[in-house]
Amino acid sequence: MSGTFTLVNPATGQPIREIARADEAQTDAAIARAVAAQRSWASLPPVARADALRAFARTVEAHVEELAQLEVLNSGHPIGSARWEASHVAQVLNFYAGAPERLSGQQIPVAGGLDVTFHEPYGVVGIIVPWNFPMTIASWGFAPALAAGNAVVLKPAELTPLTAIRLGELALEAGLPAGLFEVVTGSGSVVGQRFVSHPDVRKVVFTGSTSVGVEVAAGCARELKPVTLELGGKSANIVFADADLEKAAASAPGAVFDNAGQDCCARSRILVEHSAYDRFLELLEPAVKAWRVGDPGDERTDMGPLISASHRSTVEGFLDGADVAFRGSAPDGDGFWFAPAVVLADRGDRIAREEVFGPVVAVLPFDDEADAVRLANDTIYGLAGSIWTENLGRAVRVSRGVKSGVLSVNSHSSVRYWTPFGGMKASGLGRELGPDAAEHFTETKNVFFATD
């Protein structure tokens, strides 16, 4: 059903503007435009596609501040984070601009002829983006997809479409062909579902909840359509007694409270070795209380509001009956504010097993290395995690033992556009990013030339 929906500034609770909600016919029209544009785009010499992506990157770079301010307004991201996110889009485009000239096939030895492979673009790729990181997650899909010779139809989340809309406009300003990068705003049940069911959308990339991801995967399976899924997380931040506890505690708030905890990679479980448990909590409390929550337009702000009133209610529900050790502070009044919270949890507690997607962290003790691995793996998710130890052998053993797609040692940073990213178990299917990401948006064609 077509119509409009109202965007709300999460820092004030006030309406921003009305956005069109596409119906199925409008979605089909966008896909048809993408089909037409893709044919000529794929036929360009690789260097021409590379130049076009670099031009797109330069155009984004020239509009970083504009994009950042839109993200502050629409998503409540702190301005420093929003500027980094906008710059990140340009960096991702520049990185994958090197891919068109490197999508080389293989020559395979055979008798009686020559056997070679080619990387052929799928055609049109449908990308469904969540509301937590609207720009960065979109770029992880559209940059390698375009580099591989595909057209892209992008559906941003209903709550946060403004930067995606602007990126679509900037693509045209940069000289990309009309129809090649279509942005369609609307509901997942209409636009997203049409990406899954439409025969001309030959691959779907979905980032969001595990429950919706299961439905996307099932729909794509019925169409025999490739799909990449980046889903939920309940990542562990494992702190051993031999670690630099001061550094680990100082890093922990950023690991879980960045973007108000609305991050599938958030280290929302801190697992601490028994002998260091009390000392770690002593160090963690001042770090949490120093975490600045406030006006996202203020350069000094570390964390803005949650995305909506309903989401705040969901996050608050995780504190019902919980043993809250201490909290940070947050503004009063309008806006969807929430003070960061540290909860002392037991292993069977809901807060220790389910994704909160908010600024709440559960702290649990463990006995030894084997117990740490068991506890880290005691969840349906397997996306990210951190390991803090001065013992290199332990770092290697634990990183091999924890069932997560991306891990970091003595750091909470594990997502980079030049390295593979993705989850295990209920956290996802397939991999994004890395030097081979453009190949994930192609089909391998094998051709045998007889010479006898």
Side-chain angles (χ1 to χ4, degrees):
M1 182 176 67
S2 61
T4 63
F5 56 95
T6 303
L7 301 183
V8 173
N9 182 337
T12 65
Q14 298 302 308
I16 302 171
R17 67 183 69 168
E18 295 291 312
I19 296 292
R21 177 181 280 123
D23 59 20
E24 185 173 299
Q26 292 166 324
T27 304
D28 285 354
I31 294 169
R33 292 191 294 271
V35 169
Q38 189 271 334
R39 296 189 187 103
S40 56
W41 174 250
S43 69
L44 290 175
V47 67
R49 291 205 305 272
D51 286 344
L53 291 177
R54 292 188 183 100
F56 190 6
R58 290 192 297 271
T59 304
V60 171
E61 287 169 351
H63 292 82
V64 161
E65 186 64 23
E66 177 192 0
L67 289 165
Q69 293 294 342
L70 282 175
E71 209 67 279
V72 169
L73 177 70
N74 194 185
S75 303
H77 290 192
I79 182 61
S81 299
R83 287 181 182 132
W84 179 90
E85 291 158 19
S87 296
H88 181 86
V89 174
Q91 292 165 357
V92 172
L93 281 164
N94 272 321
F95 182 77
Y96 288 110
E101 296 165 290
R102 293 169 175 80
L103 280 172
S104 55
Q106 294 179 299
Q107 185 270 315
I108 303 169
V110 294
L114 174 70
D115 199 276
V116 296
T117 64
F118 300 91
H119 288 292
E120 303 289 0
Y122 280 111
V124 176
V125 175
I127 300 175
I128 304 169
V129 179
W131 49 258
N132 58 330
F133 289 104
M135 283 190 284
T136 56
I137 292 176
S139 70
W140 297 352
F142 69 66
L146 291 171
N150 300 283
V152 166
V153 185
L154 175 72
K155 192 203 89 66
E158 279 195 273
L159 292 174
T160 57
L162 291 185
T163 49
I165 292 170
R166 187 63 182 129
L167 284 169
E169 295 168 348
L170 293 177
L172 291 173
E173 292 179 24
L176 264 66
L180 186 70
F181 181 26
E182 291 280 324
V183 178
V184 185
T185 56
S187 68
S189 61
V190 176
V191 180
Q193 177 58 37
R194 194 59 180 139
F195 288 2
V196 171
S197 64
H198 198 294
D200 286 333
V201 176
R202 291 308 312 147
K203 178 171 181 173
V204 173
V205 177
F206 172 83
T207 303
S209 71
T210 297
S211 58
V212 177
V214 168
E215 296 303 315
V216 171
C220 287
R222 286 190 291 270
E223 302 292 328
L224 294 178
K225 183 177 298 189
V227 61
T228 298
L229 304 174
E230 198 270 281
L231 308 174
K234 191 66 178 175
S235 300
N237 195 348
I238 307 170
V239 182
F240 287 94
D242 70 342
D244 183 334
L245 296 181
E246 288 78 9
K247 185 176 179 181
S251 171
V256 65
F257 301 146
D258 182 56
N259 197 31
Q262 300 167 136
D263 181 357
C264 50
C265 289
R267 273 61 165 172
S268 57
R269 293 180 297 155
I270 304 178
L271 315 183
V272 187
E273 193 167 7
H274 266 297
S275 60
Y277 183 80
D278 291 338
R279 178 57 179 156
F280 181 82
L281 286 173
E282 290 174 0
L283 294 167
L284 180 62
E285 183 169 6
V288 170
K289 292 186 180 299
W291 194 253
R292 295 180 295 261
V293 183
D295 177 7
D298 189 327
E299 303 276 353
R300 299 167 296 177
T301 295
D302 295 314
M303 180 183 123
L306 293 173
I307 191 62
S308 68
S310 63
H311 186 57
R312 180 174 60 183
S313 296
T314 298
V315 174
E316 286 174 340
F318 279 90
L319 296 185
D320 292 344
D323 182 4
V324 179
F326 45 85
R327 298 191 70 170
S329 60
D332 297 321
D334 295 333
F336 312 127
W337 303 102
F338 191 93
V342 176
V343 173
L344 306 183
D346 293 324
R347 300 188 181 204
D349 292 349
R350 177 186 177 220
I351 201 168
R353 302 179 68 84
E354 297 181 21
E355 186 174 38
V356 178
F357 220 64
V360 178
V361 64
V363 185
L364 301 93
F366 65 84
D367 297 326
D368 53 23
E369 185 177 311
D371 190 40
V373 172
R374 280 194 301 269
L375 184 53
N377 289 336
D378 187 23
T379 169
I380 64 171
Y381 298 109
L383 183 56
S386 295
I387 302 157
W388 292 84
T389 179
E390 295 298 296
N391 185 318
L392 177 59
R394 171 180 286 152
V396 173
R397 289 191 302 270
V398 175
S399 63
R400 294 296 302 271
V402 173
K403 291 179 170 57
S404 288
V406 286
L407 293 164
S408 57
V409 176
N410 296 331
S411 168
H412 69 264
S413 175
S414 55
V415 182
R416 299 168 180 84
Y417 55 79
W418 60 92
T419 60
F421 175 69
M424 300 178 179
K425 303 192 288 186
S427 284
L429 178 68
R431 288 293 182 271
E432 300 175 297
L433 305 181
D436 300 326
E439 291 185 12
H440 303 165
F441 291 93
T442 65
E443 297 182 281
T444 300
K445 179 185 290 181
N446 183 73
V447 182
F448 171 72
F449 296 87
T451 55
D452 293 344

